[in-house]
Structure formats: C-alpha cells, structure tokens
Amino acid sequence: MTLQLFNTLSTQVEALTPADGKAVTLYACGPTVYDYGHIGNFRTFVHVDLLRRFLEQQGVPVKHVMNITDVDDKIIRNAAAQGVSIADYTPRYEKAFLDDLRALGCLSPVIMPHATENIPEMVALIQKLEQRGLAYRTEDGSWYFRINGDPEYGKLSKKDLSGNTAGARVDVDEYEKDSASDFAMWKAAKPGEHAWDTALGHGRPGWHIECSAMAMKFLGETLDLHAGGEDLMFPHHENEIAQSESATGKPFARHWMHVRFLLVEGRKMSKSDGNFFTLRDLLLRGYKASAIRFLLLSVPYRHQLNFTFDGLAESHSAVDRLRTFRQRIEHGPWPAGENAELAAQSREAANAFTAALANDLNTAEARAAIFDLVRHANTAADHGKLQQANVQPILHALTLFDQVFNVIEDHDTEIAREALAWAEHEGKLTKESANLQASLELSDADIDKLIAERTQAKKSRNFARADAIRNDLAAKGILLEDSKDGVRWKRK
Ligand SMILES: [Zn+2]
C-alpha cells in the first residue's frame, strides 16, 4: 500500500514514492551532541523510525541518512567551559544518543555522517553560492547567505518576509525572528575556537550548511523526503532549502515531514518547570523504554501529544497486555478447527492496521485495530471458541503491528544499567531506581534458574523454599505467574 503523507511544503497529503522507483531517500536531521536527548527530541526520532519501518514493511527500501552535528555554538561553548576540545567533548553525548535510540527500539540510520568530517563539501557549497551571488563575506571573515537573492525564501514555513530589512544579519544558528535575516554559513574563528583552514578562511561551518552539504553528498541533489521536528522548520529547514536550491537550481526535497513537539503534563517542557525529562530520567524512575516508545507513538505525529505519567502507566499496561496476549495465543492448546468470525476479524484487523498507517501514519487508529483484535480473541478464547486455525492469522496481525511499533520486546537493559551507574556516581539514586537496580542484578538466565529451583522445591513439597524464592524475586521487581502451561515471569 502506498503511504499518503502530509507534505509541509505543499500543505497537501501526497503519496510518498521513491523518485528512482527503488528506494526512498530520507534525510532526517540528527542530534547536536552537546547534552542528553530529551523525550521531545525522541518523539521525532521514533516517528521517523515508524515511518521507515512501515515503508520497509510495504516493500519500499529506505536509504536513511541522519547527521551528527558535532560542531556548533553550544558545543563550542560547553567544551570551552569544561576546558576540553570539541573532539573530546562530543563522543560521550553521541554514544548516549545512539544508546538511547537503540533502547527506544529505533533502527540505526544507514549512514550517519559527522559534520566535522564533511567540511570540504560545505566549503564547496558556499563557494558555489558565492559564484551565484548568494554568499558574501563580511569584514571579520564570516560568510552569509543573502536571502533577498532567493525569491522563494520562506516557502516552507510560509513566513511573510515583506518587512524584511535587506542585509540584516544573524550569526547564531538558532533564532526565532519572524523577519528573517541573512544567516551565517561560515563563521570566522574567534580566538581559541576550534577552526579549520579552508579556502573560505580560518573558521567553522554554521549548522544549516552542514545539513545541506551532507544531505546532497549522500543522497543526491533532490531527496525524496526530509524529516525533522517542527521546531526545525524555521529557520533551519528554510535555510537548508535556500542554500541547496540556490546552488543546484533543483528542488532540494520533494516531501517534508515535521513531527510536532510534545507537552509534559499539559505544559511546555522546561528545565525550570521541573517537567524536563531525558530518556534516562524516566528509566531511573522505573519506566520501560517500550512503554515510553509506545506512548510517544500512540498519538499521530501531526497532533500534539500530552505526555503524562498516567499516560505512561497506561502505555506500560497496554504493552503488557500485548505480551500476555501473544504468549496466550502461542501456548494454547486450542481445539482443532476454525472460528470463521474470528478469522474474519483477524484479517480485518491486519487490513485496518495497514490502512491506518498508509493514511498519513495514523498510529492511533492502527493501534486501535490491534487492540480490537486482542479483545475479540480473548473473548473467544475465554469461551473456548478460539481454534487452532485462528492462531496463525492472529499472530500475523500481531507481527505486522510489532514490525512497525516494535514494543513487545524491551531493549533497555544495558542503558538502564548505565543510567544507574551514572545516578549512583552523582548520588541521585531514588527508591524507584533502587528497585530497578535490584531487578537488573538478575539476568534472564538467573531468573529462569531460580524459577526451576522453585518448581523443584514445590515438587518436593519444600513450600518454604518455594515461597522464599517467589518473595525474593518479587522484591526485585520480578513477578511470577503460575499457569497450567508452567510459570511465566515479567519484570515489573
Ligand atoms: Zn538539519
């Protein structure tokens, strides 16, 4: 099924197809590695991941490029404050970001270029713009893009730039002005700053030119899709378009996707309001990355999500319901034959799931289709009406779901350990993180061993030992559930 996706540039929902008929070329703005990523950032990354997984499920390969911005104003400032070079400052945050992405179940981008490794391409692009009269050098040796030279400037964000003052300049990477200004593509080095010696002079690239140069280097002059958070639409993406199209005379990206930011407990996330959370903050409170991913995905990307702790608890139990359901269906035993009504409901769920995602990635409807099936199948099973031939179509629908949502397994153990080590080091361990720590001390194999010992203890009527094992596991957040097919367990 062809994905119909809203295009910010045309303001229409349009089919997203690869121009070459083979693979969709996707450039998604990556992190600036100066700090830990917060859940607002990750909302964008998990929706881009969902888009990619859905396209691949529909048989469309995706050439996914995500840049790592490892030089910018904030990195230079923070590294200087710590008295280290930017090359010593950024790797830690880059690793943390990639670990977080993995914990959140995101596929790794196919190519992850670093800004500092692609300086010659940025210089060449600025030189090309200079030849076309769109780049100029100022007294101090910085280079700016002349926005009045680009009649289409503002077409993505639909900003009215009529009151614009010709030649007004802004030298920071991020700005919120409605009346945009000429922006820096190359910044002359200030004393002591990290810089490169190039044909443009001694300096470093601005943020916007990094993305233009790397996107075109790895994906060609016209991309199928460019994605990012809504906060990047202006000025960042607007400037990327201006630079790229002015240099090539071709459309830079055929399709633009912007993911809306989220509110936390009804308010804009901010450090001073105490509602600012990194992924690690939430793991330390004992929440699972799968529940966080599911919550971030449950509201379609163009709608604002209000991220609440009630919502997170609901998301946790929803994931749990899916896990328990899958185990139940897989284990059976089920009577021979087929319940035709349930078979039809399974097919409908699979179709509705795919149709919802194909309709501008409507994750809320896609999720609802699967939970409808869970309800129907559980009811049938409770009444002895789920039969052997129903198992495969139900599992098929669940597989379709999890290939895209990817929440039924957790991937966060390793990063939870790291977060704990960090919290311990900083003296920030809480009661919840102590429980998490106890739970992580036991590997899955350790737990299986203890459960086998408990089963043995029960058989030899050593109930005191059996209860002690159960209680000990419960204290570490491992819950056991005795069923007629044996013992199931889960981490709380
Ligand atoms: Zn970018």
Side-chain angles (χ1 to χ4, degrees), residues 290-396:
S290 54
I292 298 165
R293 176 177 168 102
F294 200 36
L295 179 53
L296 293 174
L297 287 177
S298 289
V299 172
Y301 75 95
R302 279 171 65 203
H303 293 263
Q304 191 147 51
L305 160 69
N306 183 19
F307 190 102
T308 65
F309 284 96
D310 286 346
L312 197 47
E314 189 277 333
S315 179
H316 180 100
S317 56
V319 169
D320 226 33
R321 203 150 68 236
L322 291 170
R323 275 180 200 149
T324 312
F325 176 71
R326 190 169 74 177
Q327 283 181 356
R328 182 181 194 188
I329 299 299
E330 280 171 348
H331 285 151
W334 309 111
E338 180 185 64
N339 172 340
E341 191 189 359
L342 185 56
Q345 286 165 336
S346 306
R347 283 192 298 275
E348 273 164 33
N351 293 340
F353 173 80
T354 301
L357 290 183
N359 178 19
D360 201 17
L361 302 174
N362 192 331
T363 48
E365 277 182 15
R367 171 192 156 137
I370 296 304
F371 277 92
D372 282 348
L373 176 61
V374 171
R375 217 173 41 248
H376 293 315
N378 272 332
T379 308
D382 292 345
H383 295 91
K385 289 181 178 164
L386 197 155
Q387 294 171 270
Q388 275 169 25
N390 292 117
V391 169
Q392 197 279 330
I394 292 172
L395 291 180
H396 172 69

Side-chain angles (χ1 to χ4, degrees), residues 156-204:
L156 178 72
S157 55
K158 325 289 184 239
K159 289 201 179 287
D160 176 11
L161 301 166
S162 50
N164 211 22
T165 320
R169 281 193 297 271
V170 55
D171 67 355
V172 289
D173 288 328
E174 290 174 78
Y175 49 93
E176 290 177 15
K177 269 192 247 163
D178 272 343
S179 61
S181 310
D182 292 359
F183 57 89
M185 295 188 287
W186 185 263
K187 303 182 189 204
K190 297 196 181 84
E193 268 185 8
H194 192 96
W196 285 260
D197 279 313
T198 71
L200 297 172
H202 186 65
R204 61 177 173 97

Side-chain angles (χ1 to χ4, degrees), residues 7 9 14-20 23-29 62-67 210-228 236-237 240-241 244-245 248 250-257:
N7 183 351
L9 186 62
E14 294 167 359
L16 175 69
T17 50
D20 69 357
V24 162
T25 51
L26 161 65
Y27 186 88
C29 290
V62 180
K63 192 169 177 191
H64 178 189
V65 176
M66 182 189 77
N67 63 298
E210 295 176 7
C211 280
S212 283
M214 292 190 283
M216 294 196 288
K217 174 177 177 182
F218 293 100
L219 295 172
E221 291 178 342
T222 301
L223 328 172
D224 291 322
L225 174 64
H226 194 312
H236 183 54
H237 291 159
E240 278 187 48
I241 292 178
S244 309
E245 299 192 353
T248 66
K250 295 177 190 162
F252 175 48
R254 298 161 62 223
H255 221 115
W256 285 85
M257 173 194 188

Side-chain angles (χ1 to χ4, degrees), residues 270-291:
S270 90
K271 280 188 176 157
S272 55
D273 279 351
N275 66 345
F276 182 98
F277 298 108
T278 65
L279 176 65
R280 284 144 203 261
D281 293 334
L282 297 178
L283 294 179
L284 284 173
R285 289 182 173 212
Y287 295 99
K288 306 294 290 178
S290 54

